[in-house]
Amino acid sequence: MINPRYIRFYALSVISQADYERVVSSKSQANRSTYEVALRLFDAFLNIINAVVGVGFTDQILLAFRGFLLIEVEANAESVYRYHRAICHMMPDFGFQYFEIFKNKSEEYKGSCKSIYNALDKSKKMIRFYSGWYVRAGDGRIHFAYLIDVYNAYGEAVANKFHIALKHYAKRYPTATARTKIGDIKKLMGYICADFPNRDAYSLLFDPTEINVYFGYLFNYLYLDRLAVDGEISLFCDEWRGLVVIIVDFLVEYKLIGEPLYAIYKTTYKRATGHSRNNSEVSKRYISTLTNIPLHVTTDEAADIIFNKIVDDLDVVVSACETTRKIILDQHYTRTGLARLGKVSDEGMSKDEKKKLENQCATWEKYNYSVVSEKERGKLYGDPANISERLGLITNSSLQAHLYLLVVELPAITPSWLVKFEVVDKYTHEYGLRPDGSFAVSEKSRRGHEHAQQPIKLTPKAKTLFREIMMLTAQQREHLKSIGDDNWRFLLLSPGKGYSTPQRIKSIQYINTNLYSTSILQAILKDRLGDADVQNPDGVYQNISLRCIRASAALKVYFNTGSCQAMADALGHTAVIDDLLGRYLPPQLKAFFMNRWIRIFLNALTYEIMKDSPYLFDSVDFRTFDDLDQFLKLHKLKALPEHLFLGRYGAPKDEVIKQFNQAVVPISPALCTLLVTMKKMIDDDRLVGIRHVNEIDSWYQTARFLELSTNLHMDGKVLCSSQEAVEMFSGAKYSPALANKLKSVIRCCNSGSAS
């Protein structure tokens, strides 16, 4: 059957490109995607029945199109209705009368439309063409094979030969790899079909000499094109090697072209000696963050601005998400609260009574997604127009804020982990969330089959976010379960519109896509970022996605800890990747961050080793803040000078470091244990919104400073102290017994909690 999802890859055959763009551009942004798909399906339909939009065009053609949608297109009843309605609405754009025949939804009408379509002469060959080609990856997932160019250039027989080969080839790989390979084949065949546009020309690729000549030419063409675009030759070389693998392992191995006379040129580009694929400063692809990070900066001041912006941009997005989350939850609680006050609609209720908000809420809570007919909704709600907005129903964008906040809280979460998240397994056993809420379990596509399953320990906030998502999707889950749809088992569910049949969310797009054009979060982000950023192709708004938010959150972990291990742990990596930070930051910016710390230890700070008993706290009791303060003073630990407080991105302000005398920080086993314990307690308090007085915060800053500088030293980035001092602090552990003694002191000295 014809899948509307892939119809956009087919060139228009009957409707001109100019007419297509003219008609589609006149439609509202919110509905444009529906009109685009409908018009392309209509073009395919006209091509299949060998008709045109012109002389002799009648409403019978539109009735036959409805039959075509019902018989040949892979779409549910609601989608068929939308596509048919869209074409009827577009008829005046082509100079024809506006037909309202789409409104009839009876089974008799559908049968009549099918009969009209079946009676037409149609090309079975074209139906096969638009139905496309599909292959199955090694893990059973199905993918579309983009063989349209091959079909158009060389015909159905050659396309079928490619399809058979690709079926075998895709089975070698798991989904993620298979998808990449299919994309590379599509790209390569696009070049080949353009350069060898017919069967006779294509036959030249069975001449060994011609094969080497052509791919040498293609290499030179793509190389010069990349030079003109951005000069990233190292990236081009990586991409070219990927294409050579496709040439050898797919085209040659499956005899789709001949054997080359000699090995296809793979480029002689080599990375610097001693640098691995991951840590080459010349050739890496940097992972995208919310902030567009330049490859080069000219001054430390410019670098300082960029580092601050990385954190600021993330904070803006988080703030917008929290506002959106509150609005979404308020709408949910308002609707369920009003429902308890209202009456469920029945035949004896007047239209005015049905239109009362509390009655509509009560009616929704009873019937929700079980009523799909617009006519039936009209009977129930009095006026079904804008019912989704009035009742604050869940839409395809309602969960975005929660998902973004989850990734900020736990950067180990990836898009694939979320979309695969199962609340229960296929045997209906609890799976995704542990009963005590301590862990969540799902799978990551790229971790390989053996390590696909990944449990993630949940923070208190993450637990709350999961509970809210479950609450917001509860009605959808119950409805899908009631109709026998297995998708009810998955966490992420959403209707296309507020009242249409729920579906599983299988992909999470960038926030700026048309899919989220009516999104509350999108509107708030546009307002807070401003027009200048929204219109800027390099602005934050264009980068807002789960992946970019995850990357920014991972950098923030590094800024806070100075530890690549902590960053790797936060990302859910099973091992620290060589030069992990180098995958996110260009060399100049990394050097700026490290050089600032080097200046701190040259000019501003000295650690002094002291001795004390490891059993010191056994005989110490802290009853008041004064007790704690006196203990620290006796051990010569002064409050950390404010000019050494860690800034927005984990380093003190450089411009003030040289204005002060060196600070001396005493280090002993007992002090380190005290600071580590105190820091964890304050971190836990901050997770629930508790803030502390300046004196407590000062000791917290000292603990943060020691932790970050020690991590930098252990990672080999900065020589901050003697090995003895580093081992002393890194070996200090959180002490539950000490925490119990400190609890009353620290908790009574807080300056209020977040509401």
Side-chain angles (χ1 to χ4, degrees):
M1 296 186 75
I2 299 170
N3 192 326
R5 180 179 178 184
Y6 302 110
I7 195 67
R8 64 189 177 91
F9 293 106
Y10 290 83
L12 296 167
S13 299
V14 180
I15 298 168
S16 71
Q17 185 66 32
D19 278 343
Y20 173 82
E21 291 175 0
R22 172 180 60 82
V23 172
V24 168
S25 63
S26 67
K27 306 307 174 188
S28 68
Q29 191 70 35
N31 297 316
R32 189 169 295 174
S33 61
T34 297
Y35 283 98
E36 289 174 343
V37 173
L39 200 51
R40 286 188 174 276
L41 287 171
F42 191 58
D43 179 83
F45 161 70
L46 293 175
N47 195 22
I48 287 168
I49 67 170
N50 194 27
V52 296
V53 181
V55 178
F57 189 88
T58 67
D59 61 349
Q60 290 295 104
I61 296 292
L62 294 178
L63 294 173
F65 178 61
R66 180 68 163 262
F68 164 78
L69 293 173
L70 292 166
I71 293 172
E72 309 290 4
V73 177
E74 189 178 324
N76 59 30
E78 186 67 24
S79 296
V80 167
Y81 174 78
R82 287 204 317 272
Y83 297 145
H84 193 217
R85 180 180 61 186
I87 290 299
C88 291
H89 283 170
M90 285 188 278
M91 283 300 98
D93 295 308
F94 291 98
F96 293 95
Q97 181 182 349
Y98 171 65
F99 298 100
E100 291 194 348
I101 54 177
F102 64 86
K103 290 187 175 180
N104 193 331
K105 293 186 176 182
S106 69
E107 292 301 318
E108 183 181 358
Y109 173 73
K110 292 177 185 177
S112 175
C113 291
K114 289 179 181 179
S115 297
I116 294 170
Y117 170 71
N118 285 329
L120 296 174
D121 290 331
K122 57 188 79 69
S123 169
K124 292 183 179 179
K125 182 179 179 180
M126 283 293 97
I127 292 173
R128 290 195 298 271
F129 170 60
Y130 286 111
S131 295
W133 307 263
Y134 294 85
V135 296
R136 200 179 290 272
D139 55 8
R141 302 280 179 102
I142 296 174
H143 299 275
F144 185 72
Y146 300 89
L147 298 176
I148 300 167
D149 289 340
V150 175
Y151 184 102
N152 287 333
Y154 311 133
E156 187 174 25
V158 174
N160 287 341
K161 186 177 179 181
F162 268 78
H163 186 206
I164 292 168
L166 192 49
K167 281 182 177 179
H168 292 286
Y169 187 60
K171 284 181 181 178
R172 298 183 183 181
Y173 305 102
T175 284
T177 307
R179 187 186 298 117
T180 300
K181 297 287 186 183
I182 291 168
D184 286 344
I185 291 169
K186 176 178 180 287
K187 181 193 298 183
L188 182 61
M189 291 313 300
Y191 297 137
I192 291 175
C193 292
D195 294 328
F196 300 87
N198 54 54
R199 289 282 295 271
D200 289 340
Y202 171 61
S203 66
L204 294 173
L205 287 179
F206 290 86
D207 178 337
T209 303
E210 186 67 33
I211 293 170
N212 287 105
V213 169
Y214 172 67
F215 287 118
Y217 152 79
L218 184 61
F219 170 85
N220 289 329
Y221 169 78
L222 296 177
Y223 174 82
L224 293 173
D225 184 61
R226 192 57 178 261
L227 269 180
V229 173
D230 57 18
E232 289 287 348
I233 299 308
S234 58
L235 301 186
F236 160 75
C237 291
D238 285 345
E239 291 166 1
W240 175 255
R241 276 189 285 271
L243 293 182
V244 172
V245 170
I246 296 299
I247 294 167
V248 175
D249 290 357
F250 178 65
L251 295 182
V252 174
E253 183 175 332
Y254 289 94
K255 303 187 186 319
L256 300 171
I257 63 172
E259 291 270 358
L261 190 63
Y262 48 87
I264 303 292
Y265 180 62
K266 285 188 177 181
T267 82
T268 56
Y269 171 81
K270 293 182 180 179
R271 292 175 170 81
T273 304
H275 283 62
S276 71
R277 181 180 180 88
N278 282 335
N279 69 10
S280 169
E281 293 182 345
V282 178
S283 66
K284 70 174 66 63
R285 292 178 175 87
Y286 297 108
I287 295 172
S288 297
T289 63
L290 289 171
T291 308
N292 188 43
I293 300 175
L295 294 178
H296 305 286
V297 291
T298 55
T299 65
D300 278 1
E301 289 76 14
D304 196 34
I305 291 170
I306 292 165
F307 274 97
N308 277 296
K309 194 172 187 310
I310 290 171
V311 179
D312 289 341
D313 290 343
L314 181 62
D315 286 349
V316 169
V317 173
V318 169
S319 175
C321 288
E322 289 290 6
T323 302
T324 304
R325 173 189 172 202
K326 184 177 185 304
I327 292 171
I328 297 293
L329 292 174
D330 284 349
Q331 289 177 337
H332 173 83
Y333 292 131
T334 298
R335 183 179 69 252
T336 54
L338 286 174
R340 289 192 288 270
L341 303 175
K343 297 178 180 179
V344 177
S345 173
D346 58 36
E347 293 182 1
M349 186 180 285
S350 68
K351 187 173 183 179
D352 287 341
E353 282 293 307
K354 291 177 181 179
K355 289 167 67 175
K356 287 183 177 179
L357 184 58
E358 63 270 24
N359 292 340
Q360 289 184 333
C361 290
T363 302
W364 173 264
E365 292 304 306
K366 179 173 177 61
Y367 294 106
N368 51 72
Y369 301 101
S370 63
V371 179
V372 296
S373 160
E374 196 166 324
K375 183 177 179 181
E376 289 302 314
R377 281 197 296 269
K379 290 180 180 179
L380 279 175
Y381 297 102
D383 179 11
N386 301 318
I387 193 74
S388 173
E389 293 80 1
R390 285 208 309 277
L391 302 188
L393 302 181
I394 296 300
T395 68
N396 59 7
S397 62
S398 295
L399 299 181
Q400 289 295 104
H402 281 77
L403 302 185
Y404 291 166
L405 290 171
L406 267 176
V407 170
V408 171
E409 188 72 10
L410 298 168
I413 292 175
T414 64
S416 62
W417 190 92
L418 278 171
V419 298
K420 292 179 179 181
F421 193 98
E422 298 178 13
V423 177
V424 298
D425 63 20
K426 60 184 178 181
Y427 305 108
T428 69
H429 300 145
E430 287 188 358
Y431 176 72
L433 286 171
R434 293 294 179 258
D436 62 356
S438 58
F439 280 88
V441 181
S442 187
E443 296 183 357
K444 286 185 176 180
S445 299
R446 65 177 181 274
R447 291 172 64 91
H449 181 71
E450 293 180 1
H451 304 290
Q453 188 184 78
Q454 186 184 25
I456 296 177
K457 187 174 183 179
L458 300 184
T459 62
K461 182 170 182 178
K463 291 178 186 178
T464 300
L465 291 168
F466 267 106
R467 282 197 299 268
E468 290 173 359
I469 292 172
M470 290 290 290
M471 177 184 71
L472 292 172
T473 56
Q475 279 186 339
Q476 300 169 54
R477 187 164 289 105
E478 286 302 315
H479 176 72
L480 290 176
K481 188 176 181 181
S482 71
I483 62 174
D485 189 326
D486 190 56
N487 285 323
W488 74 273
R489 300 188 296 104
F490 291 87
L491 175 70
L492 300 188
L493 303 173
S494 167
K497 292 183 178 179
Y499 45 75
S500 59
T501 301
Q503 297 176 337
R504 176 188 167 196
I505 296 175
K506 295 184 179 180
S507 65
I508 303 169
Q509 308 295 326
Y510 279 73
I511 194 66
N512 64 353
T513 60
N514 291 339
L515 181 66
Y516 305 132
S517 58
T518 59
S519 162
I520 296 171
L521 178 59
Q522 191 184 87
I524 292 173
L525 284 165
K526 284 182 176 180
D527 179 64
R528 296 193 181 177
L529 292 169
D531 290 341
D533 182 272
V534 172
Q535 301 302 325
N536 182 359
D538 294 326
V540 176
Y541 181 72
Q542 306 300 330
N543 291 334
I544 297 175
S545 68
L546 279 177
R547 285 187 174 86
C548 291
I549 289 172
R550 180 174 182 254
S552 291
L555 278 177
K556 191 171 181 179
V557 170
Y558 185 83
F559 296 159
N560 284 335
T561 63
S563 168
C564 284
Q565 180 66 58
M567 186 178 179
D569 290 344
L571 288 167
H573 294 172
T574 53
V576 178
I577 296 171
D578 189 20
D579 192 21
L580 176 62
L581 188 62
R583 300 180 67 182
Y584 293 78
L585 295 177
Q588 249 184 312
L589 286 170
K590 281 198 305 172
F592 163 80
F593 184 77
M594 300 311 167
N595 288 342
R596 174 165 291 186
W597 276 99
I598 291 170
R599 288 196 292 273
I600 289 168
F601 289 106
L602 285 175
N603 301 308
L605 187 86
T606 301
Y607 288 138
E608 180 181 333
I609 306 296
M610 298 180 67
K611 303 294 183 182
D612 57 28
S613 168
Y615 306 105
L616 180 65
F617 293 118
D618 291 348
S619 58
V620 173
D621 195 11
F622 300 112
R623 297 182 181 277
T624 66
F625 174 77
D626 289 339
D627 292 341
L628 175 60
D629 190 45
Q630 186 178 7
F631 175 87
L632 294 172
K633 285 177 179 177
L634 285 172
H635 286 77
K636 300 182 180 180
L637 183 63
K638 298 178 181 178
L640 191 73
E642 286 193 18
H643 68 276
L644 291 180
F645 280 16
L646 298 186
R648 298 280 289 146
Y649 57 87
K653 293 182 179 179
D654 193 48
E655 66 270 15
V656 298
I657 288 172
K658 296 182 181 181
Q659 298 176 20
F660 297 86
N661 294 328
Q662 280 208 341
V664 177
V665 178
I667 294 291
S668 72
L671 283 175
C672 291
T673 300
L674 176 65
L675 290 171
V676 167
T677 302
M678 189 185 298
K679 180 180 180 297
K680 184 180 185 308
M681 293 175 69
I682 295 173
D683 282 337
D684 290 345
D685 282 351
R686 292 187 172 195
L687 285 175
V688 293
I690 297 174
R691 297 290 180 264
H692 300 82
V693 294
N694 291 340
E695 291 87 351
I696 294 291
D697 193 55
S698 175
W699 305 127
Y700 174 72
Q701 286 287 344
T702 302
R704 279 193 68 202
F705 192 97
L706 282 167
E707 178 188 60
L708 196 147
S709 59
T710 300
N711 286 333
L712 288 171
H713 183 106
M714 293 178 68
D715 279 353
K717 303 294 191 298
V718 175
L719 184 63
C720 71
S721 183
S722 68
Q723 188 63 26
E724 185 181 2
V726 169
E727 289 176 358
M728 196 175 290
F729 188 80
S730 62
K733 304 297 181 187
Y734 170 79
S735 167
L738 178 58
N740 192 49
K741 293 182 177 184
L742 289 171
K743 184 163 51 178
S744 60
V745 176
I746 290 179
R747 298 278 159 80
C748 75
C749 290
N750 68 71
S751 56
S753 61
S755 57

